Amino acid sequence: MNNQVFNSKGAEIEIQAFHPGEFLLEEIEERGIVKKDFAEALDIFPNNLSLIFAGKRNISAQLALKIEKQLGISAEYWYNLQTAYDLQIARIQEQQNEFA
């Protein structure tokens, strides 16, 4: 599978994955959902939700299911965003290890 993307001039474009917490924050803000209420609906502490928004805590499969139930956006979407982000971080770390 080729993960390369090129611009109109043929130069490779590096795709940046974003932590899914950034997307989650945007989604609940767009819907006008209070963060504290959302944390309660997910059965997690508000501080843990803030850590997810900040990209310092991951979205697990179990949490993805809870988000799906609250927002109506598939658990696969949230879990795949997390996986894409994790893979990108792993690739960056691998490249850094190659040059160290």
XYZ file of all heavy atoms in Angstrom:
811
model
N 0.841 -1.178 0.000
C 0.000 0.000 0.000
C 0.884 1.239 0.000
O 1.808 1.356 0.789
C -0.895 -0.026 1.238
C -1.828 1.124 1.320
S -3.072 0.748 2.562
C -3.192 2.310 3.332
N 0.597 2.157 -0.875
C 1.393 3.363 -1.017
C 0.712 4.501 -0.276
O -0.420 4.846 -0.568
C 1.539 3.685 -2.511
C 2.484 4.829 -2.751
O 2.887 5.519 -1.832
N 2.826 5.027 -4.000
N 1.413 5.094 0.671
C 0.840 6.182 1.462
C 1.359 7.544 1.021
O 1.250 8.507 1.755
C 1.153 5.981 2.949
C 0.402 4.805 3.520
O -0.721 4.532 3.122
N 1.026 4.106 4.433
N 1.906 7.626 -0.173
C 2.464 8.878 -0.639
C 1.393 9.730 -1.317
O 0.534 9.216 -2.031
C 3.608 8.623 -1.615
C 4.802 7.951 -0.949
C 5.851 7.583 -1.960
O 5.558 6.870 -2.907
N 7.058 8.071 -1.755
N 1.469 11.030 -1.082
C 0.567 11.988 -1.715
C 1.451 13.044 -2.363
O 2.427 13.503 -1.766
C -0.378 12.636 -0.673
C -1.268 13.679 -1.326
C -1.208 11.576 0.023
N 1.089 13.436 -3.603
C 1.903 14.388 -4.337
C 1.084 15.613 -4.694
O -0.118 15.521 -4.954
C 2.458 13.736 -5.614
C 3.331 12.542 -5.326
C 2.804 11.263 -5.314
C 4.674 12.716 -5.055
C 3.602 10.163 -5.041
C 5.488 11.620 -4.791
C 4.955 10.346 -4.771
N 1.754 16.781 -4.737
C 1.066 18.003 -5.165
C 1.070 18.073 -6.688
O 1.561 17.168 -7.368
C 1.680 19.242 -4.517
C 3.090 19.537 -4.990
O 3.570 19.004 -5.986
N 3.777 20.392 -4.256
N 0.525 19.150 -7.238
C 0.393 19.274 -8.690
C 1.739 19.344 -9.412
O 1.812 19.117 -10.613
C -0.439 20.512 -9.029
O 0.201 21.685 -8.548
N 2.806 19.636 -8.685
C 4.136 19.708 -9.293
C 4.927 18.421 -9.111
O 6.081 18.347 -9.487
C 4.906 20.884 -8.705
C 4.248 22.218 -9.021
C 5.035 23.367 -8.481
C 4.285 24.649 -8.827
N 4.989 25.830 -8.423
N 4.285 17.427 -8.495
C 4.944 16.139 -8.324
C 5.747 16.000 -7.044
O 6.370 14.970 -6.818
N 5.743 17.033 -6.205
C 6.486 16.951 -4.943
C 5.641 16.225 -3.907
O 4.421 16.415 -3.823
C 6.833 18.352 -4.447
N 6.295 15.380 -3.131
C 5.587 14.633 -2.109
C 5.102 15.566 -0.994
O 5.818 16.452 -0.552
C 6.478 13.545 -1.509
C 5.746 12.642 -0.545
C 6.580 11.476 -0.048
O 7.738 11.324 -0.489
O 6.069 10.720 0.779
N 3.870 15.344 -0.561
C 3.284 16.116 0.536
C 3.226 15.198 1.750
O 2.720 14.082 1.664
C 1.856 16.583 0.188
C 1.858 17.462 -1.051
C 1.224 17.299 1.371
C 0.474 17.769 -1.579
N 3.750 15.682 2.848
C 3.688 14.899 4.073
C 2.345 15.146 4.752
O 1.972 16.274 5.028
C 4.828 15.290 5.018
C 4.882 14.417 6.251
C 6.095 14.700 7.115
O 7.106 15.189 6.593
O 6.009 14.436 8.316
N 1.613 14.069 4.978
C 0.303 14.161 5.610
C 0.485 14.101 7.123
O 1.180 13.235 7.635
C -0.617 13.009 5.150
C -0.754 12.988 3.633
C -1.971 13.087 5.831
C -1.352 14.234 3.046
N -0.144 15.033 7.806
C -0.064 15.079 9.261
C -1.366 14.569 9.860
O -2.430 15.095 9.562
C 0.176 16.519 9.737
C 1.502 17.103 9.323
C 2.658 16.450 10.033
O 2.582 16.120 11.210
N 3.745 16.256 9.317
N -1.267 13.543 10.672
C -2.434 13.076 11.408
C -2.560 13.926 12.664
O -1.562 14.367 13.234
C -2.274 11.603 11.781
N -3.775 14.176 13.063
C -4.030 14.948 14.269
C -4.592 14.020 15.328
O -5.313 13.078 15.015
C -5.031 16.074 13.993
C -4.512 17.118 13.064
C -4.735 17.023 11.703
C -3.777 18.183 13.544
C -4.249 17.981 10.835
C -3.279 19.148 12.686
C -3.525 19.050 11.324
N -4.264 14.332 16.560
C -4.828 13.538 17.649
C -6.349 13.666 17.596
O -6.881 14.764 17.399
C -4.293 14.038 19.000
C -4.617 13.106 20.108
N -5.842 13.120 20.731
C -3.891 12.116 20.690
C -5.857 12.179 21.662
N -4.681 11.565 21.650
N -7.063 12.558 17.749
C -8.522 12.615 17.645
C -9.183 13.505 18.699
O -10.309 13.956 18.508
C -8.957 11.159 17.793
C -7.816 10.475 18.438
C -6.592 11.211 17.994
N -8.465 13.790 19.769
C -9.007 14.688 20.780
C -9.294 16.074 20.223
O -10.243 16.737 20.647
N -8.490 16.508 19.262
C -8.721 17.809 18.631
C -10.043 17.817 17.872
O -10.804 18.776 17.940
C -7.576 18.150 17.671
C -6.247 18.382 18.363
C -5.140 18.697 17.383
O -5.362 19.547 16.481
O -4.054 18.100 17.502
N -10.310 16.731 17.161
C -11.562 16.607 16.419
C -12.750 16.495 17.373
O -13.811 17.061 17.118
C -11.531 15.393 15.492
C -10.560 15.522 14.362
C -9.404 14.759 14.338
C -10.792 16.398 13.319
C -8.498 14.870 13.297
C -9.891 16.517 12.269
C -8.742 15.758 12.259
N -12.548 15.756 18.451
C -13.616 15.581 19.429
C -13.988 16.913 20.066
O -15.174 17.232 20.206
C -13.196 14.570 20.496
C -14.230 14.212 21.551
C -15.497 13.648 20.920
C -13.630 13.223 22.538
N -12.995 17.700 20.420
C -13.249 19.016 21.001
C -14.030 19.889 20.016
O -15.019 20.529 20.400
C -11.937 19.697 21.392
C -12.051 21.110 21.950
C -12.923 21.144 23.197
C -10.664 21.677 22.231
N -13.611 19.913 18.767
C -14.314 20.695 17.753
C -15.770 20.244 17.626
O -16.672 21.060 17.500
C -13.628 20.566 16.400
C -12.326 21.313 16.304
C -11.653 21.142 14.947
O -12.311 20.651 13.986
O -10.466 21.485 14.841
N -15.976 18.940 17.661
C -17.323 18.387 17.486
C -18.253 18.795 18.633
O -19.377 19.225 18.396
C -17.258 16.855 17.384
C -18.581 16.195 17.065
C -19.121 16.538 15.690
O -18.331 16.713 14.744
O -20.365 16.618 15.567
N -17.768 18.685 19.856
C -18.672 19.027 20.965
C -18.878 20.534 21.067
O -19.952 20.983 21.441
C -18.247 18.401 22.310
C -16.969 18.995 22.846
C -18.159 16.891 22.209
C -16.761 18.697 24.322
N -17.862 21.315 20.706
C -18.038 22.774 20.700
C -19.046 23.186 19.630
O -19.886 24.054 19.870
C -16.697 23.480 20.493
C -15.817 23.442 21.721
C -14.467 24.111 21.519
O -14.056 24.330 20.347
O -13.812 24.408 22.532
N -18.958 22.561 18.464
C -19.885 22.872 17.370
C -21.328 22.555 17.771
O -22.253 23.258 17.384
C -19.493 22.082 16.117
C -20.318 22.401 14.900
C -20.088 23.794 14.349
O -18.995 24.353 14.540
O -21.029 24.327 13.725
N -21.488 21.518 18.559
C -22.827 21.113 18.998
C -23.294 21.866 20.245
O -24.418 21.676 20.691
C -22.851 19.611 19.280
C -22.644 18.758 18.051
C -22.632 17.303 18.410
N -22.332 16.468 17.260
C -22.871 15.280 17.054
N -23.745 14.788 17.910
N -22.533 14.570 15.989
N -22.402 22.660 20.820
C -22.767 23.410 22.025
C -22.876 22.545 23.267
O -23.587 22.891 24.218
N -22.158 21.436 23.285
C -22.187 20.531 24.427
C -21.206 21.025 25.484
O -20.058 21.352 25.172
C -21.824 19.088 23.999
C -22.839 18.580 22.967
C -21.759 18.158 25.206
C -22.467 17.255 22.325
N -21.648 21.073 26.715
C -20.793 21.480 27.833
C -19.816 20.342 28.130
O -20.223 19.179 28.260
C -21.644 21.810 29.081
C -20.764 22.155 30.266
C -22.621 22.942 28.764
N -18.530 20.686 28.227
C -17.483 19.678 28.414
C -17.730 18.821 29.652
O -17.582 17.596 29.610
C -16.114 20.346 28.497
C -15.707 21.028 27.215
C -14.442 21.832 27.402
C -14.174 22.679 26.182
N -13.045 23.581 26.374
N -18.093 19.452 30.739
C -18.341 18.714 31.981
C -19.479 17.706 31.795
O -19.387 16.568 32.245
C -18.681 19.692 33.109
C -18.949 19.044 34.434
C -19.319 20.084 35.473
C -19.774 19.403 36.751
N -20.368 20.336 37.684
N -20.539 18.123 31.112
C -21.672 17.235 30.857
C -21.276 16.077 29.941
O -21.724 14.945 30.125
C -22.835 18.005 30.222
C -23.436 19.037 31.158
O -23.222 18.951 32.391
O -24.121 19.953 30.645
N -20.425 16.377 28.967
C -19.975 15.332 28.045
C -19.119 14.309 28.782
O -19.273 13.106 28.580
C -19.222 15.947 26.870
C -18.942 14.990 25.755
C -19.975 14.419 25.036
C -17.643 14.660 25.411
C -19.727 13.534 23.995
C -17.381 13.785 24.377
C -18.428 13.220 23.669
N -18.242 14.776 29.648
C -17.414 13.868 30.446
C -18.304 12.966 31.294
O -18.067 11.748 31.386
C -16.445 14.661 31.325
N -19.316 13.550 31.887
C -20.233 12.769 32.713
C -20.963 11.716 31.870
O -21.109 10.569 32.286
C -21.249 13.697 33.376
C -22.163 13.004 34.361
C -23.086 13.980 35.052
O -22.600 15.024 35.540
O -24.299 13.693 35.098
N -21.389 12.089 30.675
C -22.079 11.154 29.786
C -21.169 10.004 29.365
O -21.626 8.880 29.150
C -22.607 11.887 28.562
N -19.879 10.290 29.262
C -18.905 9.258 28.894
C -18.438 8.446 30.094
O -17.703 7.473 29.944
C -17.677 9.890 28.219
C -17.902 10.597 26.893
C -16.603 11.227 26.407
C -18.474 9.659 25.849
N -18.847 8.879 31.291
C -18.458 8.232 32.545
C -16.937 8.303 32.761
O -16.287 7.325 33.129
C -18.940 6.786 32.585
C -18.885 6.186 33.985
O -19.037 6.947 34.963
O -18.681 4.952 34.092
N -16.385 9.502 32.465
C -14.974 9.760 32.747
C -14.869 11.093 33.485
O -15.790 11.909 33.452
C -14.094 9.780 31.466
C -14.503 10.931 30.532
C -14.143 8.436 30.761
C -13.584 11.077 29.315
N -13.762 11.295 34.159
C -13.542 12.554 34.864
C -13.299 13.684 33.863
O -12.664 13.466 32.825
C -12.335 12.450 35.802
C -12.547 11.517 36.961
C -11.835 10.329 37.051
C -13.461 11.825 37.957
C -12.021 9.468 38.117
C -13.657 10.972 39.032
C -12.941 9.785 39.115
N -13.779 14.891 34.172
C -13.544 16.034 33.266
C -12.063 16.246 32.957
O -11.712 16.607 31.833
C -14.136 17.216 34.025
C -15.210 16.610 34.860
C -14.655 15.258 35.277
N -11.197 16.006 33.938
C -9.758 16.166 33.713
C -9.262 15.187 32.643
O -8.426 15.543 31.809
C -8.980 15.976 35.012
C -7.499 16.239 34.831
O -7.111 17.291 34.344
N -6.681 15.271 35.208
N -9.786 13.963 32.669
C -9.386 12.986 31.651
C -9.852 13.409 30.265
O -9.147 13.219 29.274
C -9.920 11.598 31.996
C -9.193 10.983 33.168
O -8.088 11.386 33.517
N -9.814 10.009 33.794
N -11.038 13.994 30.191
C -11.524 14.504 28.910
C -10.630 15.641 28.416
O -10.281 15.699 27.237
C -12.972 14.974 29.035
C -13.642 15.438 27.747
C -13.641 14.352 26.683
C -15.056 15.923 28.032
N -10.208 16.510 29.318
C -9.296 17.597 28.947
C -7.974 17.048 28.418
O -7.397 17.606 27.480
C -9.041 18.507 30.153
O -10.214 19.187 30.502
N -7.497 15.956 29.012
C -6.258 15.328 28.541
C -6.438 14.750 27.134
O -5.508 14.799 26.322
C -5.802 14.241 29.513
C -5.314 14.743 30.873
C -5.066 13.575 31.814
C -4.046 15.585 30.721
N -7.618 14.230 26.842
C -7.895 13.733 25.491
C -7.886 14.897 24.516
O -7.263 14.827 23.456
C -9.241 12.977 25.450
C -9.127 11.670 26.239
C -9.671 12.699 24.008
C -10.448 10.979 26.505
N -8.555 15.990 24.875
C -8.576 17.174 24.008
C -7.164 17.677 23.721
O -6.871 18.142 22.622
C -9.382 18.308 24.636
C -10.853 18.042 24.782
C -11.566 18.656 25.789
C -11.534 17.208 23.912
C -12.922 18.443 25.939
C -12.896 16.978 24.047
C -13.591 17.603 25.062
N -6.294 17.589 24.728
C -4.924 18.083 24.601
C -4.000 17.085 23.910
O -2.822 17.376 23.684
C -4.376 18.424 25.985
N -4.510 15.901 23.576
C -3.680 14.893 22.914
C -2.760 14.153 23.847
O -1.812 13.510 23.419
N -3.042 14.205 25.135
C -2.181 13.560 26.124
C -2.762 12.246 26.639
O -2.149 11.575 27.448
C -1.942 14.511 27.298
C -1.174 15.743 26.877
C -0.925 16.666 28.023
C -0.142 17.884 27.536
N 0.123 18.824 28.605
N -3.941 11.913 26.151
C -4.582 10.654 26.510
C -5.274 10.126 25.261
O -5.851 10.889 24.495
C -5.576 10.871 27.643
C -6.151 9.605 28.195
C -7.033 9.899 29.395
N -7.584 8.657 29.862
C -7.420 8.181 31.073
N -6.759 8.868 31.971
N -7.956 7.043 31.420
N -5.211 8.822 25.048
C -5.741 8.227 23.833
C -7.203 7.833 23.958
O -7.718 7.642 25.053
C -4.919 6.996 23.449
C -3.526 7.363 22.991
O -3.244 8.516 22.666
N -2.644 6.387 22.959
N -7.826 7.674 22.808
C -9.192 7.174 22.746
C -9.119 5.663 22.560
O -8.656 5.174 21.526
C -9.973 7.833 21.591
C -10.157 9.327 21.892
C -11.315 7.141 21.388
C -10.869 10.106 20.817
N -9.544 4.950 23.581
C -9.541 3.486 23.541
C -10.762 2.994 22.762
O -11.682 3.764 22.457
C -9.600 2.931 24.966
O -10.852 3.269 25.565
N -10.799 1.713 22.484
C -11.957 1.125 21.806
C -13.212 1.317 22.652
O -14.272 1.671 22.134
C -11.706 -0.357 21.527
N -13.088 1.120 23.949
C -14.238 1.268 24.844
C -14.747 2.714 24.849
O -15.949 2.953 24.783
C -13.863 0.828 26.256
C -15.025 0.870 27.226
C -14.625 0.386 28.612
O -13.445 0.220 28.914
N -15.610 0.169 29.456
N -13.835 3.662 24.910
C -14.232 5.066 24.901
C -14.830 5.440 23.542
O -15.798 6.203 23.477
C -13.051 5.973 25.230
C -13.364 7.462 25.324
C -14.450 7.736 26.365
C -12.096 8.240 25.651
N -14.288 4.897 22.463
C -14.832 5.165 21.135
C -16.299 4.726 21.058
O -17.127 5.417 20.459
C -14.009 4.446 20.065
N -16.625 3.612 21.685
C -18.017 3.146 21.719
C -18.912 4.110 22.489
O -20.048 4.380 22.092
C -18.097 1.747 22.327
C -17.558 0.619 21.461
C -17.466 -0.673 22.266
C -18.422 0.421 20.227
N -18.400 4.647 23.582
C -19.170 5.608 24.379
C -19.391 6.906 23.600
O -20.476 7.489 23.649
C -18.460 5.901 25.702
C -18.456 4.728 26.651
C -17.704 5.075 27.922
C -17.660 3.908 28.883
N -16.976 4.275 30.147
N -18.367 7.340 22.882
C -18.490 8.553 22.063
C -19.522 8.325 20.960
O -20.342 9.190 20.685
C -17.123 8.967 21.476
C -16.163 9.375 22.611
C -17.281 10.098 20.469
C -14.719 9.547 22.165
N -19.477 7.152 20.347
C -20.450 6.808 19.311
C -21.876 6.927 19.860
O -22.761 7.502 19.210
C -20.205 5.385 18.819
C -21.247 4.883 17.832
C -21.001 3.435 17.454
O -21.128 2.545 18.334
O -20.678 3.193 16.280
N -22.082 6.409 21.037
C -23.410 6.438 21.648
C -23.874 7.868 21.904
O -25.034 8.205 21.700
C -23.389 5.653 22.960
C -24.722 5.531 23.632
C -24.623 4.675 24.880
C -25.968 4.580 25.571
N -25.881 3.764 26.792
N -22.955 8.751 22.308
C -23.314 10.129 22.643
C -23.457 11.029 21.416
O -24.315 11.908 21.384
C -22.280 10.728 23.605
C -22.256 10.063 24.961
C -23.594 10.097 25.657
O -24.266 11.130 25.696
N -24.011 8.963 26.205
N -22.600 10.823 20.416
C -22.573 11.740 19.276
C -23.168 11.173 17.994
O -23.414 11.922 17.045
C -21.136 12.197 18.996
C -20.427 12.949 20.118
C -19.018 13.324 19.682
C -21.217 14.181 20.538
N -23.335 9.861 17.955
C -23.853 9.260 16.732
C -22.826 9.178 15.617
O -23.173 9.014 14.461
N -21.567 9.309 15.973
C -20.466 9.167 15.013
C -19.782 7.846 15.342
O -19.416 7.607 16.489
C -19.464 10.332 15.109
C -20.172 11.665 14.836
C -18.304 10.123 14.149
C -19.309 12.880 15.094
N -19.587 7.001 14.357
C -19.154 5.623 14.593
C -17.891 5.512 15.441
O -16.977 6.331 15.349
C -18.939 4.895 13.268
O -17.737 5.304 12.659
N -17.876 4.457 16.230
C -16.701 4.142 17.044
C -15.496 3.889 16.150
O -14.362 4.236 16.500
C -16.987 2.928 17.931
N -15.749 3.307 14.971
C -14.655 3.042 14.037
C -13.966 4.334 13.611
O -12.740 4.372 13.471
C -15.176 2.296 12.791
C -15.571 0.862 13.048
C -16.992 0.705 13.601
O -17.704 1.718 13.733
O -17.367 -0.430 13.924
N -14.746 5.371 13.406
C -14.182 6.672 13.030
C -13.194 7.145 14.091
O -12.053 7.491 13.773
C -15.313 7.685 12.846
C -14.831 9.099 12.618
C -14.392 9.496 11.368
C -14.822 10.030 13.652
C -13.948 10.803 11.150
C -14.384 11.329 13.436
C -13.947 11.708 12.195
O -13.506 12.991 11.988
N -13.624 7.161 15.340
C -12.775 7.657 16.419
C -11.559 6.762 16.638
O -10.440 7.241 16.823
C -13.577 7.801 17.717
C -14.665 8.799 17.559
C -16.003 8.553 17.470
C -14.515 10.219 17.409
N -16.694 9.730 17.283
C -15.804 10.766 17.243
C -13.422 11.083 17.403
C -16.027 12.129 17.080
C -13.639 12.432 17.228
C -14.930 12.951 17.074
N -11.792 5.463 16.585
C -10.700 4.525 16.811
C -9.701 4.561 15.655
O -8.487 4.480 15.863
C -11.261 3.111 17.016
C -10.303 2.187 17.705
C -9.911 2.414 19.027
C -9.789 1.076 17.052
C -9.028 1.558 19.661
C -8.908 0.222 17.684
C -8.528 0.463 18.979
O -7.648 -0.381 19.610
N -10.201 4.709 14.428
C -9.297 4.819 13.272
C -8.481 6.105 13.305
O -7.310 6.110 12.916
C -10.074 4.729 11.959
C -10.541 3.327 11.662
O -9.988 2.355 12.170
N -11.573 3.210 10.847
N -9.083 7.206 13.754
C -8.316 8.446 13.915
C -7.173 8.233 14.909
O -6.047 8.686 14.681
C -9.212 9.585 14.409
C -10.153 10.232 13.412
C -11.015 11.274 14.114
C -9.393 10.866 12.263
N -7.473 7.542 16.010
C -6.444 7.285 17.023
C -5.341 6.411 16.442
O -4.158 6.677 16.642
C -7.058 6.616 18.256
C -6.064 6.424 19.393
C -5.592 7.739 19.966
O -6.399 8.502 20.476
N -4.305 7.998 19.939
N -5.725 5.380 15.700
C -4.740 4.474 15.104
C -3.853 5.203 14.096
O -2.635 5.019 14.083
C -5.442 3.279 14.438
O -6.205 2.589 15.435
C -4.441 2.321 13.817
N -4.450 6.043 13.256
C -3.675 6.806 12.274
C -2.677 7.715 12.976
O -1.516 7.828 12.556
C -4.601 7.619 11.379
N -3.112 8.349 14.046
C -2.230 9.226 14.802
C -1.085 8.417 15.432
O 0.080 8.800 15.334
C -3.024 9.957 15.880
C -2.176 10.836 16.747
C -1.739 12.077 16.296
C -1.793 10.431 18.021
C -0.944 12.887 17.086
C -1.001 11.238 18.825
C -0.585 12.459 18.353
O 0.208 13.256 19.146
N -1.428 7.303 16.055
C -0.409 6.463 16.699
C 0.620 5.964 15.695
O 1.826 5.942 15.981
C -1.059 5.272 17.410
C -1.892 5.679 18.614
O -1.764 6.828 19.096
O -2.688 4.828 19.075
N 0.154 5.569 14.509
C 1.083 5.101 13.472
C 2.003 6.211 13.003
O 3.197 5.987 12.775
C 0.309 4.526 12.287
C -0.253 3.124 12.479
C -1.200 2.774 11.341
C 0.870 2.105 12.583
N 1.470 7.404 12.858
C 2.311 8.518 12.428
C 3.396 8.804 13.472
O 4.557 8.992 13.118
C 1.494 9.771 12.194
C 2.386 10.939 11.789
C 1.615 12.148 11.367
O 0.690 12.023 10.582
N 1.979 13.297 11.868
N 3.018 8.813 14.721
C 3.997 9.045 15.791
C 5.055 7.945 15.787
O 6.248 8.213 15.913
C 3.300 9.139 17.164
C 2.345 10.335 17.203
C 4.311 9.208 18.300
C 2.978 11.677 16.905
N 4.637 6.701 15.611
C 5.581 5.579 15.565
C 6.543 5.717 14.386
O 7.740 5.451 14.519
C 4.830 4.256 15.487
N 6.023 6.156 13.224
C 6.893 6.348 12.052
C 7.925 7.447 12.298
O 9.085 7.316 11.916
C 6.052 6.683 10.820
C 5.355 5.501 10.224
C 4.663 5.856 8.908
N 4.052 4.663 8.356
C 2.742 4.462 8.246
N 1.899 5.407 8.615
N 2.272 3.347 7.743
N 7.481 8.521 12.905
C 8.402 9.614 13.210
C 9.493 9.145 14.162
O 10.672 9.408 13.955
C 7.641 10.820 13.785
C 6.774 11.476 12.696
C 8.592 11.839 14.405
C 5.775 12.486 13.211
N 9.100 8.411 15.178
C 10.078 7.891 16.142
C 11.041 6.911 15.482
O 12.238 6.929 15.767
C 9.360 7.231 17.315
C 8.645 8.221 18.197
C 7.768 7.583 19.252
O 7.451 6.397 19.188
N 7.350 8.370 20.224
N 10.523 6.100 14.580
C 11.364 5.150 13.853
C 12.396 5.880 12.991
O 13.559 5.514 12.953
C 10.497 4.223 12.996
C 11.264 3.140 12.280
C 11.834 2.074 13.205
O 11.317 1.905 14.321
O 12.817 1.429 12.797
N 11.959 6.917 12.302
C 12.869 7.707 11.479
C 13.939 8.384 12.350
O 15.098 8.438 11.968
C 12.109 8.760 10.683
C 11.308 8.187 9.553
C 10.455 9.260 8.866
O 10.263 10.346 9.373
N 9.941 8.910 7.686
N 13.541 8.877 13.490
C 14.497 9.524 14.391
C 15.518 8.524 14.894
O 16.693 8.838 15.019
C 13.768 10.176 15.571
C 12.973 11.414 15.162
C 12.104 11.956 16.276
O 11.887 11.294 17.290
N 11.604 13.160 16.080
N 15.086 7.289 15.151
C 16.004 6.252 15.606
C 16.983 5.859 14.514
O 18.130 5.516 14.797
C 15.231 5.023 16.080
C 14.499 5.273 17.377
O 14.828 6.170 18.131
N 13.479 4.463 17.642
N 16.537 5.915 13.249
C 17.419 5.582 12.142
C 18.548 6.589 11.989
O 19.629 6.253 11.554
C 16.627 5.513 10.830
C 15.715 4.313 10.732
C 14.874 4.307 9.466
O 15.103 5.156 8.581
O 13.985 3.458 9.359
N 18.268 7.842 12.324
C 19.261 8.895 12.161
C 20.052 9.168 13.424
O 20.938 10.017 13.425
C 18.589 10.188 11.674
C 17.981 10.047 10.312
C 16.603 10.090 10.141
C 18.762 9.838 9.187
C 16.037 9.961 8.886
C 18.202 9.691 7.929
C 16.837 9.753 7.782
N 19.747 8.458 14.492
C 20.444 8.690 15.764
C 21.752 7.945 15.808
O 22.046 7.055 15.124
C 19.553 8.261 16.928
